[in-house]
Structure formats: C-alpha cells, structure tokens
Amino acid sequence: EAAEAALQEVFETKVREGSKAQAAIVVMSADGAVRAMVGGRDTRGIAGQFNRATQARRQTGSAFKPFVYAAALDLGYTPLHRIEDQPLCMDIPGSGQWCPQNYTRKYYGVVTLTEALQRSLNTPAVRISEHVGRDNVRAVAQNFGIESKLADGPAIALGTSESTLLEMTGAYAGILNGGSSVTPYGLTELRLQGDTEPLIGKTGGIGERVISEPAARALTYMMHQVVESGSGVRAKVEGVQVAGKTGTTQAQRDAWFIGFSADYVTGVWMGYDDNTPLTGVTGSGLPAEIWQQTMARVHDRIEAHPLPMDRPSAAPD
C-alpha cells in the first residue's frame, strides 16, 4: 500500500496528465525477502501483464557505481582515498577513442571517493574501475546478484549494462546486510491445508560473502553522503538515516533511485516501455521522490534505526 500510494501521489502531482511514462518499485528486507512490488501503473486486471520490476531489462546508469566502489573498498581503498576528476580519453580496440564526461560537463580536480560518488562523477568511477580491474568490478556485481551480461569495456563503470529492478534492489540488499549476496524471495512456505510437509519452502535468502563487512559499512557511509548532500538529497526521509544512489542512462531513457534504511531496501525505476527518452527526468528527481514517499510511508509506524556504517576517521597517506 505504501509503494502504490507513493507512485500514485507523485504521478498525480508531479507528472503531466496523459503521460505514458512507467515506473516500478521493489521493497525488500536485507535478506532478500520481497515485502512489496509494484510492476507498473494501472496493472490490475490486465491479463498477461508485464511486470517491469522483474521482466524489464534496462541500462542501470550510475546506479551501478556502488559496485565499482565496493570492489575498491574491499581491496583496501578508503572513503577518503583521493582520485583525479579530470578529462579522460581511452583508446578502445575496434571502436576508437572513448572520452567519458561528467553529467555537468565540469571537472572538480582531485576528489575523495566519497565526493566522487556523492556527485556521481564519471571519470573517477572509470579511473577506479581501471585501477582495481574491470574483472574485479564485474565479479562483485555478479556475486551480488546481477545476472545480466556485463559490458567488457571500460564503460562497465558507468552502468551501460542492463539489469532488472529486482536484481539491482537485491544487489543493494547485499550492501546493507554487511556484504553478503541475497537471492530475492517472495514466499517463506506453501503447503496444502491439512498437510504437515510444505510443497515449497523458502526459495531465497542470504548467500555467500561478496565483500568484507568493513567495506560494506564504508560504502554505506559513502551512499549516506549521496543523500545527505549529494545527488540524492530529494530522497531524504525525516528522522530516518538513509543511503542510496541515483542513476540516469544515456538520453535519459531510464531513471533510477535505489537505496536503503537500516530496515528496508527500496528500488525505483522510471522510464517508457518503448525506450522513449524521459523529458527532464533524472534519477535525482522523480524516482528519488517516489522512493522518498515510499520509505516515509513504510517507516511511519516503525522505530527508526541507525544505518550500519563507519565514518572514516582520517585521510589516507
């Protein structure tokens, strides 16, 4: 109800009438238990309906960046590690020169990893990915549950690969729970009335460790800064510590906000079914507002808990 009400509220008050834009929401616990799923707008009663939360494979954009930083933190980088944000060009065999730019077309010089994620800067993400190795980034994302094929080139760092909202939300659950993968699941048991043995037991839950707990806690701190004073400020929930990441893909065809409190992980995707570009919508806008409305409603009747994060104490040498 909280997720559906949030979607309705934002579309009624912030989206132009008659818009065919779609959105999907997934809310889950840190072990992968799916608590709510909205597969689109006005899906009730439609035979053979398309569930955008589980079936739509879309480019993830900057919502993929936490996996880049997860790989780096797991290898010993810290949130205060410094990296250059300067123009960058790379020669791609068979494709020529590739020069990623920041969304703002501005560069900020030497920044910390936290600042780079906070502002969703592109060149530092690519540099970090190249430093730690694309294979390590790919392994972290896949081990967290991203089953879709991931790009081979340096653009992997910028989320050029496709994924589903359910996969992405499940992957973020792994950050919240301290660094272990989860398999999302929707039921704990199914049994026939009168039978003692269940027909189906729990089909998911927490799996193997992907990154260390200190790395997960450091990444949670960095993602908290995204909401506190970065690209995700519109996702702030009064009285609740939250962390998250925006994502906007090329030509604004997809807009994401995925994040978590200490109690729930929520993912929001917005876009058109036919890949038409969104007009004036980025992950930091309407998806963050849908996310905020959902989480505010979800937390309305529960006690808020602090995020499991560690604030960095000193700058690296």
Side-chain angles (χ1 to χ4, degrees):
E1 286 177 354
E4 287 181 341
L7 191 62
Q8 186 175 352
E9 167 88 9
V10 170
F11 269 87
E12 282 181 357
T13 59
K14 302 288 176 74
V15 178
R16 72 175 187 277
E17 199 173 339
S19 170
K20 296 286 195 292
Q22 275 292 348
I25 306 172
V26 172
V27 183
M28 67 172 63
S29 299
D31 71 339
V34 176
R35 304 296 182 177
M37 182 186 292
V38 181
R41 298 164 59 203
D42 304 323
T43 57
R44 284 167 294 187
I46 302 170
Q49 67 190 37
F50 182 60
N51 185 341
R52 291 156 192 85
T54 61
Q55 293 173 283
R57 294 198 171 278
R58 309 289 293 227
Q59 280 194 338
T60 56
S62 292
F64 186 85
K65 284 176 184 168
F67 309 128
V68 174
Y69 293 102
L73 293 165
D74 200 47
L75 289 169
Y77 286 69
T78 76
L80 297 179
H81 186 97
R82 296 183 182 90
I83 188 80
E84 268 195 0
D85 178 35
Q86 299 286 1
L88 172 69
C89 285
M90 302 173 69
D91 287 316
I92 312 298
S95 301
Q97 204 171 57
W98 179 66
C99 303
Q101 292 182 311
N102 291 329
Y103 184 74
T104 59
R105 303 286 192 268
K106 296 178 184 172
Y107 298 94
Y108 299 88
V110 176
V111 296
T112 65
L113 297 197
T114 301
E115 290 166 339
L117 187 64
Q118 215 173 339
R119 291 175 166 164
S120 201
L121 302 177
N122 287 338
T123 71
V126 174
R127 283 188 166 95
I128 287 290
S129 176
E130 295 298 299
H131 287 177
V132 304
R134 291 171 219 161
D135 287 346
N136 284 325
V137 172
R138 186 178 292 107
V140 165
Q142 288 175 334
N143 291 340
F144 267 136
I146 304 299
E147 295 174 355
S148 313
K149 187 180 185 304
L150 295 174
D152 292 324
I156 183 177
L158 305 184
T160 54
S161 306
E162 296 177 340
S163 185
T164 68
L165 180 61
L166 184 66
E167 275 182 9
M168 288 292 287
T169 310
Y172 274 52
I175 301 168
L176 172 60
N177 71 33
S180 295
S181 65
V182 309
T183 301
Y185 65 98
L187 57 85
T188 52
E189 189 177 87
L190 177 66
R191 70 170 72 200
L192 292 172
Q193 193 171 358
D195 280 7
T196 54
E197 291 300 311
L199 289 173
I200 302 173
K202 193 170 87 169
T203 53
I206 291 190
E208 295 183 3
R209 177 161 295 283
V210 180
I211 60 173
S212 69
E213 187 171 351
R217 293 177 69 90
L219 182 56
T220 297
Y221 164 79
M222 290 168 61
M223 293 169 68
H224 177 54
Q225 298 311 304
V226 171
V227 179
E228 283 297 290
S229 54
S231 62
V233 290
R234 283 163 85 170
K236 278 187 186 180
V237 180
E238 190 176 347
V240 185
Q241 279 190 345
V242 297
K245 186 69 192 77
T246 55
T248 309
T249 63
Q250 289 177 323
Q252 297 183 332
R253 288 187 174 89
D254 303 276
W256 306 70
F257 193 90
I258 310 173
F260 47 82
S261 65
D263 297 285
Y264 292 102
V265 189
T266 296
V268 174
W269 166 85
M270 190 172 174
Y272 285 97
D273 287 341
D274 63 1
N275 262 332
T276 302
L278 291 156
T279 307
V281 176
T282 64
S284 62
L286 293 180
E289 291 193 27
I290 294 169
W291 190 93
Q292 192 277 340
Q293 292 259 0
T294 301
M295 289 294 258
R297 286 171 163 84
V298 165
H299 285 81
D300 192 34
R301 297 177 189 176
I302 65 170
E303 183 186 348
H305 299 100
L307 280 170
M309 61 181 174
D310 292 331
R311 298 175 185 275
S313 54
D317 295 335

